Structures are given as structure tokens and as C-alpha cells.
């Protein structure tokens, strides 16, 4: 009887464990399958000091976008070239893990396009998250290191492949093959975005035609005849269909009949095709980056991807303040949306800092120097958002420029400059201040340095400095009114 009871107990325990495992898996899958309520776009903005980092934008309808985080970057690359472009957002099938992968490239540092293409980074930058708002430190994956003569690794994308139970990461590398040097699309497989298979050739257009940007979308119910659709910038914007990510692809057509190309045949020259399905309906946007004219993304829409003749242009969209370059869009569940907006959609008011003892003057930036001036023009040079401190969000603030999102007031050699956040701890500390009662008038405010707490922001000969305050003159110089 004791052996029977023991066996029965063991069987019961096994059943309980199986049911518990099933319940956890079911909950995770259910979370991933919750109805979508919004949209999140990851992108970069261009070749500026802060432009080649990770930016986010949010939309309720998939057409009109609001910049998150006050228009500033949300993630900074502090590895490789210290810049990122072409970010791709990836969600696990269970909805319990997310990745961002991006090109390791910073043209703003002075790198030429030729050098970047022929002797650039062969790695991609990766971040990981379990909730879409708290992200790991970035790491590099050297995906192109195994390609003979590889010059770079650009424009990465990733998609889960149910046929193999892992992710296909694909990107463009410039290298010589059969006597022709050009960009081709390569791929690796990975389950964790840290280890990966040997790179394999994925797309080669033949002759001398290169290809850099390509993105795949999975379509439920095979609307249009295929499960997967691929848009590629290969001289045209070519649309292909397939029922297998790593299988054969059928060319459906291109967008030349709409006056849209990637450089062949003129018209509206675009790159960076980016797919997004409208929530709750069989309709898709293909976003195209109008890089040749500097206008950023525009959408074209289709309810049947089986023919390029089904696409139509539209004008009922808005891209927010930031220019949006090559990125990706993730449809958000209500839970994901709530987390994202709670983290990055803080509506910090726009403020000015009025001098206490020279009250017709306000703190402003001019050619990235910081001073106090009267009659500031343009007015936005004297406008800042007092956001949670970069180094300490409790009781501390940082001053983000309104007309230069991603730029902050920081001290450097105890002088003040307006500078782009480089993601380092040194920058964060230099740009963080504790707001205290005004040293000259407690109804006003003074700002104490986070990393030099014996020093305060003051003006001296109208220039902003970080100095110890020991005199009545200094107390007046270090006192400001925060005004709207």
C-alpha cells in the first residue's frame, strides 16, 4: 500500500507540474494574443549628434504619430561606433521577451559612407527586455565576421520562424562574390540573439544590382496568396511572397506604376520599407522613407498584398515633430501600451528660467553655449523641459532643450554647454541637478549640482557657470524663477 500510495503521489505531483506548466505557457501565449490597441515605432532621426540613437513614437490609429520621451532618444549605444541606425523591434511568440537590433554606425562622428560600407562594423547592436520598457545594456553580435571580405553589416531585421523554432536575423553586407562587390542580404539563425549560426546568403539580385533594405511581414490567413511578404529596396521597391521564410520567394511586382522607386526610373526615390498591419483588420501600410527629399516616412496602403496594383497613396497621416528614418513598427496590446506610455509619454511642461537679479534675461543656448539674454530669438532657444534627472530621478531634474530634443544643459569644466546625451554615466551626472529653494529668495529656485554638491548653477558676466556660492552676489546669480 505504501508503494502504491507513493506512486500515486508521484503521478499526482507530475500532473500538477504539467498543469502548472501548461497554465504558465497558456498565460504567456494569451498575453501575446491579446487584441492590439496601439502602435509603437522605433526609428532614428538622421546624421546629427543625437540622431543616430533609438527613438520611439506612438500611434493610436497607425497613421498619426506622437514622439515619446519628449522627442529625445530612449536608448543610447555606448559600444561599437557609439551610434545606431535602422532599429528593428522583435517580440517573442509568447510575448514575454523583446529585442531591438540595429546597425552599428554613426555617420555623425565624421565617418564617410565609403569607409562605413567598406571598412565598417561587422556587428549589430542588440538590447533585450522582458517588458518593453526596461532594457538591458547593449551588446554586439558579429554576424558578418564569417563573410569573406565583409565591409559592414547594415539594416538588420529579425522574424520568428515557426518552421525551425528560432529567429532569422537578416541584414545587408557589402562584399565581393564572383568578382562583383555589392550589398547582398545574408542571414543567421538564433534563439537568444547572442549565439548564431554561420551566415548564409539570403538575397542576391544578380548582375551589379545591390540590395540593402528588406523587411518581411507575416500575414494571417495567407491574404493575397502567401503567408509572408517581403519588401526590398533594390533599385525599385520590390514586393515578393512566400509560404516559407527560408524557402523560395515569388516576385509580385514593384511600385514603379506609382512613381515610386529606390533610384531606378526616377520618381519619388525612397528606401527603408517598413510594414505594419492595421489593428483588427486585413489592411496594411507599407511605410517608405523619402530620404532623397528629406521628408521621412510616407505610407501606402493595401488590403490585398497579392498584387502591387492594390496599393494606394494616402495623405491622412502625421509623423510628429521628429523626422523618422528607417525603423520598424510593433502592434501593441493594451498592457504593453500602458507600460510604454507610463514610461515615456510624460507630458513635461515647457519652461523658461528667469534670472532673479537681471529679470529681463532668461537662460538660453546660443551656438551650444549657455547664457542669459533678454528678448531671446528664436524663443525656443530659451525653452526647456525639466525632466526627471538622468542620473537620479528622485528630487533631481535635467534640462532638455525643446528645439534640440536629446540635448541637455550640462557642465563641462564648470562651464555650461548644450550637448547631446551620449548615454554615459558621466554625462548623466553632469546634466543632473537638485532643485532647492532659491538661495536669494526661497519663493524662487536654485539648482545644485548632482556630482559637485558644493556648486550651483549661476550666471557670471551673463554666462552660465557651476560654482560654489559664498556671497550675496553669488546667491542672486544662482537664483531663478521657473516660468511657463
Amino acid at each position: 500500500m505504501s508503494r502504491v500510495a507513493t506512486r500515486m503521489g508521484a503521478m499526482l505531483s507530475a500532473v500538477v507540474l504539467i498543469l502548472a506548466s501548461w497554465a504558465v505557457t497558456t498565460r504567456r501565449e494569451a498575453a501575446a494574443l491579446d487584441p492590439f490597441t496601439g502602435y509603437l515605432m522605433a526609428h532614428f532621426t538622421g546624421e546629427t549628434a543625437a540622431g543616430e540613437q533609438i527613438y520611439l513614437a506612438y500611434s493610436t490609429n497607425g497613421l498619426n504619430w506622437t514622439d515619446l520621451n519628449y522627442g529625445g532618444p530612449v536608448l543610447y549605444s555606448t559600444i561599437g561606433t557609439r551610434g545606431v541606425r535602422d532599429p528593428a523591434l522583435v517580440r517573442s511568440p509568447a510575448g514575454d521577451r523583446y529585442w531591438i537590433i540595429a546597425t552599428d554606425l554613426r555617420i555623425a562622428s565624421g565617418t564617410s559612407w565609403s569607409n562605413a560600407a567598406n571598412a565598417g562594423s561587422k556587428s549589430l547592436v542588440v538590447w533585450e527586455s522582458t517588458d518593453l520598457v526596461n532594457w538591458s545594456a547593449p551588446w554586439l553580435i558579429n554576424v558578418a565576421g564569417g563573410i569573406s571580405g565583409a565591409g559592414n553589416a547594415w539594416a538588420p531585421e529579425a522574424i520568428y520562424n515557426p518552421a525551425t523554432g528560432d529567429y532569422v536575423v537578416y541584414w545587408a553586407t557589402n562584399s565581393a562574390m564572383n568578382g562583383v562587390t555589392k550589398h547582398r542580404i545574408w542571414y543567421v539563425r538564433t534563439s537568444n540573439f547572442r549565439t548564431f549560426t554561420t551566415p548564409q546568403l539570403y538575397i542576391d539580385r544578380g548582375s551589379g544590382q545591390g540590395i540593402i533594405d528588406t523587411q518581411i511581414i507575416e500575414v494571417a490567413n495567407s491574404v493575397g496568396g502567401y503567408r509572408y511578404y517581403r519588401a526590398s529596396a533594390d533599385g525599385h521597391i520590390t514586393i515578393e511572397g512566400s509560404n516559407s521564410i527560408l524557402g523560395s520567394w515569388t516576385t509580385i511586382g514593384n511600385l514603379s506604376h506609382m512613381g515610386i522607386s529606390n533610384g531606378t526610373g526616377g520618381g519619388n526615390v525612397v528606401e527603408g520599407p517598413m510594414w505594419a498591419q492595421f489593428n483588427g483588420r486585413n489592411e496594411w501600410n507599407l511605410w517608405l522613407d523619402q530620404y532623397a527629399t528629406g521628408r521621412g516616412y510616407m505610407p501606402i496602403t493595401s488590403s490585398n498584398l497579392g498584387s502591387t496594383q492594390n496599393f494606394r497613396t494616402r495623405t491622412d497621416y502625421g509623423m510628429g515633430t521628429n523626422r523618422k528614418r528607417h525603423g520598424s513598427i510593433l502592434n501593441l496590446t493594451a498592457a504593453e501600451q500602458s507600460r510604454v506610455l507610463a514610461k515615456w509619454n510624460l507630458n513635461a511642461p515647457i519652461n523658461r528660467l528667469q534670472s532673479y537679479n537681471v529679470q529681463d534675461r532668461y537662460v538660453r543656448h546660443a551656438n551650444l553655449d549657455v547664457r542669459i539674454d533678454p528678448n531671446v530669438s528664436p524663443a525656443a532657444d530659451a525653452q526647456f523641459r525639466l525632466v526627471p534627472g538622468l542620473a537620479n530621478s528622485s528630487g533631481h531634474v535635467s534640462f532638455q532643450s525643446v528645439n534640440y530634443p536629446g540635448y541637455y544643459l550640462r557642465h563641462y569644466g564648470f562651464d555650461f554647454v548644450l550637448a547631446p546625451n551620449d548615454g554615459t554615466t558621466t554625462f548623466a551626472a553632469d546634466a543632473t541637478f537638485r532643485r532647492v529653494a532659491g538661495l536669494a529668495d526661497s519663493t524662487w529656485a536654485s539648482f545644485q549640482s548632482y556630482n559637485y554638491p558644493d556648486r550651483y548653477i549661476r550666471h557670471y558676466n551673463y554666462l552660465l557657470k557651476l560654482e560654489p556660492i559664498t556671497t550675496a552676489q553669488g546667491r542672486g546669480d544662482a537664483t531663478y524663477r521657473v516660468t511657463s
Side-chain angles (χ1 to χ4, degrees):
M1 286 294 293
S2 60
R3 286 196 296 269
V4 172
T6 300
R7 289 178 181 175
M8 289 297 292
M11 292 173 63
L12 181 59
S13 297
V15 169
V16 169
L17 287 172
I18 292 170
L19 289 174
S21 175
W22 175 84
V24 169
T25 303
T26 301
R27 283 197 298 272
R28 288 176 176 172
E29 291 178 350
L33 297 175
D34 283 347
F36 294 125
T37 58
Y39 309 80
L40 183 67
M41 182 194 299
H43 64 95
F44 76 106
T45 63
E47 294 79 31
T48 63
E52 292 165 300
Q53 302 296 345
I54 304 297
Y55 291 75
L56 294 179
Y58 168 75
S59 176
T60 58
N61 63 4
L63 290 169
N64 296 281
W65 296 89
T66 299
D67 298 314
L68 298 183
N69 198 36
Y70 324 111
V74 301
L75 292 173
Y76 298 84
S77 177
T78 55
I79 56 178
T81 67
R82 302 180 69 85
V84 284
R85 302 166 65 97
D86 322 316
L89 273 166
V90 186
R91 179 200 282 117
S92 69
D96 59 352
R97 200 163 296 275
Y98 310 84
W99 295 270
I100 292 176
I101 58 174
T103 303
D104 178 29
L105 174 61
R106 190 169 187 266
I107 293 296
S109 66
T111 301
S112 71
W113 282 108
S114 176
N115 186 69
N118 294 288
S121 173
K122 301 173 184 61
S123 297
L124 305 176
V125 183
V126 183
W127 288 266
E128 185 175 8
S129 173
T130 58
D131 58 10
L132 205 57
V133 295
N134 297 293
W135 293 88
S136 69
W139 70 84
L140 295 172
I141 53 173
N142 184 9
V143 292
I147 301 172
S148 177
N152 60 352
W154 284 0
E157 303 286 347
I159 187 170
Y160 181 76
N161 186 10
T164 55
D166 55 15
Y167 301 86
V168 176
V169 178
Y170 53 102
W171 72 94
T173 283
N174 184 41
S175 64
M177 182 179 294
N178 301 322
V180 177
T181 299
K182 63 177 183 178
H183 281 96
R184 301 170 177 87
I185 305 297
W186 296 75
Y187 79 90
V188 295
R189 289 169 46 201
T190 183
S191 60
N192 57 13
F193 292 88
R194 292 181 182 273
T195 59
F196 43 88
T197 59
T198 301
Q200 303 291 323
L201 185 62
Y202 193 33
I203 308 175
D204 186 350
R205 291 303 190 215
S207 93
Q209 178 62 56
I211 175 173
I212 295 178
D213 303 332
T214 190
Q215 193 181 89
I216 299 168
I217 189 171
E218 183 176 5
V219 172
N221 304 319
S222 299
V223 176
Y226 297 98
R227 181 175 180 179
Y228 302 101
Y229 289 88
R230 191 166 72 185
S232 303
D234 55 5
H236 289 284
I237 298 296
T238 299
I239 311 298
E240 301 167 282
S242 178
N243 288 314
S244 172
I245 294 171
L246 297 179
S248 60
W249 289 77
T250 300
T251 300
I252 294 171
N254 61 51
L255 305 177
S256 58
H257 65 285
M258 301 178 71
I260 295 172
S261 79
N262 179 234
T264 300
N268 191 358
V269 180
V270 301
E271 65 179 11
M274 177 175 70
W275 292 108
Q277 184 175 1
F278 283 102
N279 291 335
R281 64 184 191 265
N282 287 328
E283 190 173 20
W284 294 265
N285 272 336
L286 178 60
W287 293 85
L288 303 168
D289 180 4
Q290 303 169 97
Y291 75 97
T293 59
R295 289 178 292 178
Y297 270 121
M298 58 168 262
I300 60 174
T301 299
S302 174
S303 57
N304 186 332
L305 301 181
S307 171
T308 57
Q309 300 298 317
N310 297 326
F311 282 101
R312 60 183 175 87
T313 57
R314 58 192 312 153
T315 58
D316 57 336
Y317 68 97
M319 300 309 297
T321 301
N322 282 336
R323 182 185 178 199
K324 291 164 178 59
R325 301 291 312 279
H326 188 164
S328 68
I329 295 173
L330 189 70
N331 301 71
L332 296 177
T333 66
E336 291 169 337
Q337 174 180 292
S338 177
R339 294 196 300 266
V340 165
L341 295 184
K343 175 77 171 183
W344 285 304
N345 198 34
L346 303 175
N347 294 315
I350 295 173
N351 293 120
R352 296 188 299 167
L353 295 178
Q354 181 184 18
S355 169
Y356 171 76
N357 53 2
V358 194
Q359 293 191 11
D360 66 333
R361 291 178 179 256
Y362 293 82
V363 174
R364 60 89 52 91
H365 61 83
N367 297 321
L368 303 183
D369 198 7
V370 187
R371 52 181 297 115
I372 59 170
D373 276 341
N375 306 315
V376 177
S377 180
D381 285 357
Q383 294 175 342
F384 302 92
R385 296 186 191 274
L386 276 64
V387 302
L390 298 178
N392 184 343
S393 60
S394 177
H396 292 71
V397 298
S398 293
F399 300 91
Q400 182 177 187
S401 169
V402 166
N403 54 354
Y404 287 87
Y407 283 64
Y408 294 81
L409 298 185
R410 73 169 291 188
H411 63 82
Y412 188 82
F414 302 130
D415 191 14
F416 272 85
V417 295
L418 185 76
N421 186 352
D422 61 11
T424 63
T425 55
T426 298
F427 185 100
D430 289 350
T432 299
F433 306 89
R434 186 166 71 94
R435 180 174 176 171
V436 299
L439 299 182
D441 185 330
S442 62
T443 65
W444 290 50
S446 293
F447 296 94
Q448 180 185 27
S449 170
Y450 169 75
N451 51 356
Y452 291 90
D454 64 328
R455 294 174 180 255
Y456 294 79
I457 299 175
R458 73 169 290 185
H459 62 82
Y460 185 83
N461 288 336
Y462 302 135
L463 298 176
L464 249 62
K465 305 289 184 180
L466 191 74
E467 294 185 348
I469 304 301
T470 59
T471 66
Q473 179 67 48
R475 288 191 288 274
D477 292 348
T479 301
Y480 303 89
R481 173 183 282 142
V482 179
T483 69
S484 59

